[in-house]
Every structure is written in structure tokens, then in C-alpha cells.
Amino acid sequence: MSEHEFPNLTVVDHPLIRHKLTLARSRDTPKKLFRELVDEIATLMAYEVTRDLEEEPVEVHTPLEATRGTRIAGKKLVVVPVLRAGLGMVDGVLRLIPSARVGHVGLARDESSLQPVQYYFKVPPAPEQRRFLVVDPMLATGGSAAAAIAGLKERGARRVTLMCLVAAPEGVQRVAEAHPDVRVYAAALDRQLNEVGYILPGLGDAGDRLFGT
Ligand code: PRP
Ligand code: URA
């Protein structure tokens, strides 16, 4: 399947991202390097994902004269990691947007039903005025992402974007059906899910590889 079959999906297309994702996929990549790669890919993707941030004009005084510049307009972006594995992408985004706020959504997939179970939810006030970037390395069945986005919308969020490293076609489709307004950015669109809901070829269990559990 190609990205063209999913109008809600953008596969961020860059040689550095492909190189780092290939290293992250390898079963021989140790935990420390895996963490660094997830972090670096998040930074590279954040550059593309924030391309449409609104700007406003400002005057700036150089040492020589006054000129016009721009700054990012509006309330600060909120980065929302889906716990646990999404935590591995937060610092990578904050490196580019250090003043962003951070919300947290705790969801764990029940291993037999594959349904997400929520155990934590905390986001900044006035969600209706903010733009949210949900981060999670894995979009598998899409249940966790769809639930995280639904939770944000229930609290008033109106502008949500999803950023993941590896997406399965099933997950992209599920998010498109549940949240047609949400654009999904991925470093790769993989082939399929296996019978226990893991992405193929994927990179394994992202939370376990990040945290050594
Ligand atoms: C993983 C991953 C996603 C979810 C994806 O988390 O980080 O949140 O599974 O699967 P889905 O698209 O089928 O919902 P997991 O539930 O394993 O929790 P963890 O991050 O704590 O390891
Ligand atoms: N969660 C993961 O961490 N990996 C997968 O392949 C699917 C869900």
C-alpha cells in the first residue's frame, strides 16, 4: 500500500529520516542508540510537521537598522505523548519548539483485546485555543491514537495533528474514519499488522525498546 491511498497521511520523505529509521528497526540496535534515534527522528519530523504554523509580523532592530521579521503567532503548541512510548519523541520536538507545553495521555493496549485502556489524562487549560501534536512512535490498529485524539476533542481541542514513526495501513484508516480532520505524519507506512497487532516489518515493541522492559 502506498501513502497515496490515504489522503490523511503524509510520509515525511527525507534520506536522514529513512537512514535513522532503518537503524531503529534493526534488532541489533541497543537501547541507548534506539532512544537517540527516536529522539532525532522526532526532531527531523517536527520541522516538517510545523511547516504550517501561523506567523505574525514583528519589527526587529539589527545592529544597523530596523527591519521586519516574523514570530510564531497564537497560543503555544502542546505536545502530547501517548504514554509510554510517546515520551521518547517529546524532547526531539521540544528541541525545535522549546516553549511548547506538554500534555500527557496514558494509554496501554490490552494485549488480548488490543483495546486501549486509559490510565492518565492531563493537558493544559483552554484546549480550544491551542494546537495539539500527539506523538507516539507506533500507529498499529489505531485504537490508541483514536482514543487519545477523542479525549483531546472531548476536552475542547479543535486542532490536532498526529505524528508517529511507523504507521500500519489499518491504523491510518482507523484514524481517518474516527477523525477525518486530523492529519497523520509518519516516517514510514509499513505493510500490515500481524495476528497479535504488531506492525510488520515494524520495529518491535517501541515502549519496551525505549525503556528496557
Ligand atoms: C503501543 C504504542 C501505541 C500503541 C499502538 O503502546 O506506543 O501507543 O501500542 O497500538 P494501537 O495502534 O494498536 O493502539 P502500548 O499500549 O504497548 O503501551 P506502552 O507505550 O506503555 O508500551
Ligand atoms: N505497539 C508497538 O510498540 N509496536 C507495534 O508493532 C504495535 C504496537
Side-chain angles (χ1 to χ4, degrees), residues 93-168:
V93 177
L94 293 182
R95 195 168 294 125
L96 289 190
I97 316 168
S99 59
R101 295 186 184 221
V102 181
H104 293 89
V105 177
L107 288 172
R109 246 183 11 162
D110 179 276
E111 284 182 10
S112 48
S113 70
L114 299 184
Q115 294 305 308
V117 179
Q118 185 182 306
Y119 58 88
Y120 191 75
F121 209 112
K122 190 92 171 171
V123 290
E128 64 287 348
Q129 296 172 29
R130 301 184 188 279
R131 179 172 160 166
F132 290 85
L133 179 60
V134 176
V135 295
D136 190 333
M138 311 308 282
L139 179 63
T141 66
S144 303
I149 297 164
L152 290 171
K153 288 183 174 175
E154 279 160 24
R155 288 161 178 82
R158 290 199 285 254
R159 291 188 304 163
V160 183
T161 304
L162 173 65
M163 179 168 120
C164 52
L165 299 195
V166 181

Side-chain angles (χ1 to χ4, degrees), residues 153-206:
K153 288 183 174 175
E154 279 160 24
R155 288 161 178 82
R158 290 199 285 254
R159 291 188 304 163
V160 183
T161 304
L162 173 65
M163 179 168 120
C164 52
L165 299 195
V166 181
E170 295 88 336
V172 179
Q173 185 65 34
R174 172 105 174 244
V175 173
E177 283 163 12
H179 304 289
D181 56 309
V182 171
R183 177 141 289 275
V184 179
Y185 289 85
L189 175 66
D190 274 13
R191 194 176 73 245
Q192 66 182 96
L193 297 180
N194 71 8
E195 63 287 353
V196 287
Y198 275 80
I199 301 174
L200 297 175
L203 49 73
D205 189 307

Side-chain angles (χ1 to χ4, degrees), residues 49-81:
V49 170
T50 53
R51 187 174 280 285
D52 64 346
L53 281 182
E54 291 113 47
E55 297 165 88
E56 60 191 15
V58 287
E59 191 177 73
V60 59
H61 294 262
T62 77
L64 301 174
E65 63 178 19
T67 185
R68 308 273 292 165
T70 67
R71 68 176 171 210
I72 305 299
K75 284 231 187 274
K76 301 283 185 281
L77 182 86
V78 185
V79 186
V80 183

